[in-house]
Amino acid sequence: MSTTPGTPAPHIPQIRLYQQWLAEHRGLRFDDYDALWRWSTTELDAFWQSIWDYFDLRSPTPHTAVLERNVMPGAKWFPGAQFNYAQQVFRHVMPAHAAGFSAVVSRNEKGRHVELSWPELRRQVASLALHLQAQGVKPGDRVAAYLPNIPETMVAFLAVVSIGAVWSVCAPDMGTNAVLDRFRQIEPVVLIACDGVTYGGKDFDRLGVVAELRAALPTVRHVILHTNLADDPAAVDRALEAAQPCTAFSTATARYDAATAGFEPLWLPFDHPLWIVYSSGTTGLPKPIVHGHGGTVIVAMALKILHNDVGCSYAPNSWGERYHWYSSTGWVMWNAQTSGLLNGTTCVLYDGNPGGPKDQPDWTTLWRFASELGVTFFGAGAAFFANCLKAGVDLSTCGDLSQVRALGTTGSPLSEEAQNWGTAQFRQLRKAVQSDRFTAGPPQGESAPSGGSDPHEVGERGGDIWWCNISGGTDFAGAFIGGNRELPQTPGRMQCRLMGCAVESWNEQGQPVIDEVGELVCAQPIPSMPLYFVGDTDNRRLLGSYFDMYPPGHGRKPGGGDLDKDAGAVWRHGDWLRIHPDGSCVIYGRSDATINRHGLRMGTSELYSAVEALPEVLDSMVVDLEYLGRESYMPLFVVLRPGLSLDDAMTAKINGAIRTALSPRFLPNEVFQVAEIPRTLSGKKQELPIKKLLLGQPLEKVINKEAMANPGCLDWYVAFAAEHQARQPI
């Protein structure tokens, strides 16, 4: 297998290739990106059919329409077509392998290096799929996974969806209660789990959690255990013995016979359920969101390839592409990383802490990994780049990063300072590389680059690094705003609204505005929007999550399909957005009270369940002050039983409860003891008004005292807000 890419990739931006195809095959030419975007969001049938044709998506039966009815929710896409995510992946097995490229390359903190060839990926998927079928798993059954970001998780996912079962995964850094809040809702028939994980230089045994999950999930009738932590045969045997009855993952994927060679993923309806992901609101259990095979794939192709500019590893224009986006399996960016396989791209995974051991932080860890594995597209949460800036990382000490030609960010707004830091670092790296090449001259048999007349082609080697800053959501497994390699870059901004995404910023009157901060709405359906929520039989939770802020029909746009009086409302995403006159965009954080911590979204109710389970805590409230590009600051306010005070021991106990029930990622920055939590007359915690107060808005504009049960408690929060604002940098 080839271990390093060849020529830096791609030479020609993927979005330019698509526009050339539109001109040649559709006779469509656009003066600028804005015109292309407007066409894509008003001529939905023509745009999404062009994506189907451009990527040569296949179905054994034809579709009878692109968008049958333009309605939200409930849009019906590509009726009549059949699809399977794994079918699309398997198309690349032979050509990618013949070109010498791996499907997956992985490394963890301990240096365990794994490469899966495309044929081996297919064989393991087939073996596990047949094993699941032998256990009676049928299309529509749910399979739950408790696995980290490793190749085995990709194999398990593809095996599950190849037979029409529905996949759902939680990261092993999540505690038992948080996992059960998710998996209990979906009633899985199989649990695929690991014995433990390594993070920050420490091993974390998870066999106890696996036993708790099994005991609390009565629908699970079969368990498969991957011995991820065990590092010798005796340890493997002990882990498997402790988890009995179970099947070893290595056994379930070991089959190699005529049945595995002849295995083919099932053709399924275009909207057959693919996976269940979880996005939390401010109340109740996490929302179990179901996306479909076809809609997820077609949106992923448009996003990852055309906008993120991630090419096929064996295509001449993007030869040697190696795609990495650091993520845990608890974040939708794991799904985005896996989508690299849809286009024949080598996916490069890292399992562990990107900042190194807790006691000896090292923010060069991920960069050195990227250097050693030849990553070409390097993605991570915005917080990662901010931490590198703060730590004073010098990328020239991290090995050869000359193959990296794109940096991706998401999860929270990327600051102008962090983007400028990365741009300056890569500018110096490229100067050093160019100097070395100039001194050494071209390799024997090659001519020196002519300089050319195309700034994009020259810029791949000599220009500034390209930042692909994106913003979207678990909710629709995609992005609304992101990158375009053909457009100018402004530090701290995303370049454009994405094709097919009719995104607008609305003021308080529900009117679209430019150059003002408003609510992010999407006025047209997108193929990957949720099919439904599990257990939401009347669609009440779905409607309440995205479609209940504005009246049905208000702001809806005509486009593909049949738009009528029952078109429904626009999608309200829950983010603050500013669209600049040049089309670039800035996300200013959540417009609701949902926590968005280090790129992972969590409902406040989940944190309250953990904290208020402590007998010492009577009440609590948390707000996340991620706004105007500031780093996330999350204070937790607690009411303790009479006679108790918030000392170091109590703070540690509260943090321990959060760490155990949820994840260390959701620990507050500070904990404060208060006399009361502000509540409405109906008893609802006043999270959003207090958040706005702490962000500097005047009390009279954010809260109605007459609607409060305890307005007298506000004086403390007003004083706290003033103190907090005084600490903020100007």
Side-chain angles (χ1 to χ4, degrees), residues 643-663:
L644 297 180
S645 61
L646 185 70
D647 54 15
D648 290 345
M650 180 59 66
T651 299
K653 188 171 185 178
I654 290 170
N655 284 334
I658 297 170
R659 182 184 290 107
T660 300
L662 302 179
S663 164

Side-chain angles (χ1 to χ4, degrees), residues 314-503:
Y314 61 87
N317 183 61
S318 47
W319 186 263
E321 186 83 278
R322 284 197 163 198
Y323 172 48
H324 166 75
W325 201 302
Y326 176 77
S327 179
S328 80
T329 50
W331 190 19
V332 75
M333 293 315 296
W334 177 84
N335 307 67
Q337 170 78 85
T338 302
S339 73
L341 299 174
L342 293 169
N343 194 44
T345 307
T346 299
C347 292
V348 183
L349 315 181
Y350 182 77
D351 178 36
N353 188 343
K358 296 287 186 180
D359 54 348
Q360 292 181 314
D362 178 8
W363 289 97
T364 69
T365 299
L366 210 55
W367 295 109
R368 290 185 283 105
F369 157 83
S371 166
E372 293 164 10
L373 272 62
V375 167
T376 59
F377 187 105
F378 181 97
F384 169 79
F385 296 98
N387 280 315
C388 290
L389 165 63
K390 292 176 186 176
V393 169
D394 180 357
L395 294 188
S396 68
T397 68
C398 299
D400 182 6
L401 291 166
S402 62
Q403 298 286 353
V404 178
R405 49 89 193 170
L407 300 175
T409 71
T410 191
S412 57
L414 179 70
S415 71
E416 183 176 342
E417 294 77 14
Q419 185 164 341
N420 285 334
W421 168 83
T423 298
Q425 289 276 324
F426 273 90
R427 191 176 294 157
Q428 291 301 315
L429 291 178
R430 291 181 171 189
K431 283 182 180 178
V433 169
Q434 288 174 336
S435 176
D436 290 344
R437 287 176 178 166
F438 180 79
T439 302
Q444 188 173 359
E446 287 189 19
S447 59
S450 64
S453 58
D454 190 331
H456 300 287
E457 296 182 11
V458 177
E460 293 297 340
R461 291 187 173 87
D464 278 340
I465 192 75
W466 177 59
W467 288 87
C468 181
N469 304 330
I470 68 174
S471 180
T474 300
D475 312 77
F476 65 105
F480 282 136
I481 303 163
N484 179 338
R485 211 178 246 285
E486 301 278 67
L487 295 178
Q489 296 191 99
T490 301
R493 298 186 193 175
M494 289 164 281
Q495 290 173 293
C496 62
R497 292 171 281 182
L498 301 193
M499 290 184 293
C501 301
V503 169

Side-chain angles (χ1 to χ4, degrees), residues 84-87 89-90 121 124-126 128-129 132 143-145 147-148 150-169 192 249 253 263 265 273-277 291-293 296-297 329 334-342:
N84 191 301
Y85 191 111
Q87 282 277 6
V89 171
F90 284 1
L121 172 70
Q124 289 191 26
V125 169
L128 182 54
L132 291 170
V143 175
L147 295 169
I150 53 178
E152 289 82 357
T153 309
M154 284 187 167
V155 169
F157 161 65
L158 291 172
V160 167
V161 304
S162 71
I163 61 173
V166 187
W167 167 263
S168 191
V169 63
I192 307 176
F249 189 91
T253 56
F263 175 79
L274 170 69
W275 58 40
I276 301 169
V277 292
H291 298 129
H293 276 253
T296 300
V297 170
T329 50
W334 177 84
N335 307 67
Q337 170 78 85
T338 302
S339 73
L341 299 174
L342 293 169

Side-chain angles (χ1 to χ4, degrees), residues 7-27:
T7 306
H11 287 163
I12 303 174
Q14 300 289 340
I15 198 166
R16 192 197 309 176
L17 294 176
Y18 168 66
Q19 290 182 81
Q20 291 172 354
W21 182 91
L22 284 177
E24 180 180 351
H25 294 272
R26 298 290 194 269

Side-chain angles (χ1 to χ4, degrees), residues 621 678-680 684-691 703 708:
M621 183 177 69
R679 290 181 177 273
T680 64
K684 184 177 180 181
K685 297 179 185 185
Q686 296 275 53
E687 298 158 314
L688 189 54
I690 296 302
K691 175 179 178 177
I703 202 162
M708 286 189 63

